[in-house]
Amino acid sequence: MTVDFLRRLFLFVVLCLVQALVLNRVHLFGYAIPLLYLHFVLLFPRNYPKWALLLWCFALGLVNDTFSNTPGVACASLTLIAVLQPYWLELFVPRDAAEDFSPSLTSLGYGKFIAYALPLMLFYCLLFFALEAFNFFNWENWLISSFTSALLTWVLVMTIEQVKRNKTA
């Protein structure tokens, strides 16, 4: 086993436990739910095998669906994000970057990291809450839940990235 695999496995377990035990019980103003496990998907480096990325995200979604009682919603949404993430990341990677370039606040900078992370989070939340509701009769609640959850998730991810950045500096 490689160190990278063990590091990812540890992060996988920690994020699943934090989401299941703490964050699933947070409903800010009845709408916003922090979905911190999205940070796991954002951290995959450039040229990471796409099949492995799909398996990691499918497993993460399956575990979160199991603990959140959302049958297949997180699994489907995370798998679609795993399909999009490598192509989206290529738009923000510098031309002279290494093949194993890993996206973070330190490596991309504030502007590029926000432009990389926020649309993926927003798309995930839109898809997640659309699948959860499975109708558009109450579209105002769907939009409010999607945008507030994406914003709350973005704040948590940026906080973690800032702490990581200050720790390495």
Side-chain angles (χ1 to χ4, degrees):
M1 285 202 211
T2 64
V3 174
D4 180 59
F5 177 79
L6 292 174
R7 205 174 279 148
R8 285 195 196 288
L9 186 63
F10 176 74
L11 184 61
F12 180 93
V13 170
V14 167
L15 287 175
C16 285
L17 287 173
V18 167
Q19 187 69 39
L21 298 175
V22 179
L23 297 178
N24 279 346
R25 288 160 178 55
V26 175
H27 296 282
L28 200 60
F29 305 116
Y31 293 106
I33 302 169
L35 304 168
L36 190 60
Y37 54 84
L38 273 174
H39 192 227
F40 183 77
V41 180
L42 297 174
L43 296 178
F44 278 98
R46 177 184 189 190
N47 293 335
Y48 196 79
K50 289 176 180 57
W51 63 269
L53 178 61
L54 286 170
L55 283 177
W56 275 112
C57 291
F58 180 81
L60 182 63
L62 191 64
V63 170
N64 279 305
D65 280 335
T66 303
F67 289 115
S68 302
N69 197 21
T70 55
V73 174
C75 194
S77 303
L78 272 177
T79 304
L80 182 61
I81 294 298
V83 170
L84 298 176
Q85 187 266 351
Y87 302 107
W88 186 250
L89 176 61
E90 283 299 318
L91 298 174
F92 301 99
V93 174
R95 289 183 193 256
D96 59 346
E99 290 297 316
D100 61 345
F101 177 83
S102 185
S104 69
L105 190 60
T106 306
S107 63
L108 288 174
Y110 281 104
K112 282 188 177 180
F113 187 76
I114 291 169
Y116 162 69
L118 195 57
L120 281 176
M121 289 180 203
L122 185 59
F123 184 70
Y124 174 81
C125 289
L126 285 168
L127 185 62
F128 180 85
F129 289 107
L131 290 174
E132 187 179 48
F134 209 67
N135 66 44
F136 291 107
F137 291 114
N138 202 355
W139 61 273
E140 293 100 358
N141 283 346
W142 168 66
L143 284 177
I144 291 170
S145 294
S146 298
F147 283 106
T148 56
S149 293
L151 184 65
L152 186 57
T153 303
W154 176 73
V155 166
L156 287 175
V157 167
M158 288 302 288
T159 303
I160 291 170
E161 285 293 320
Q162 188 64 42
V163 168
K164 283 176 22 181
R165 185 176 189 178
N166 290 341
K167 189 175 181 182
T168 59

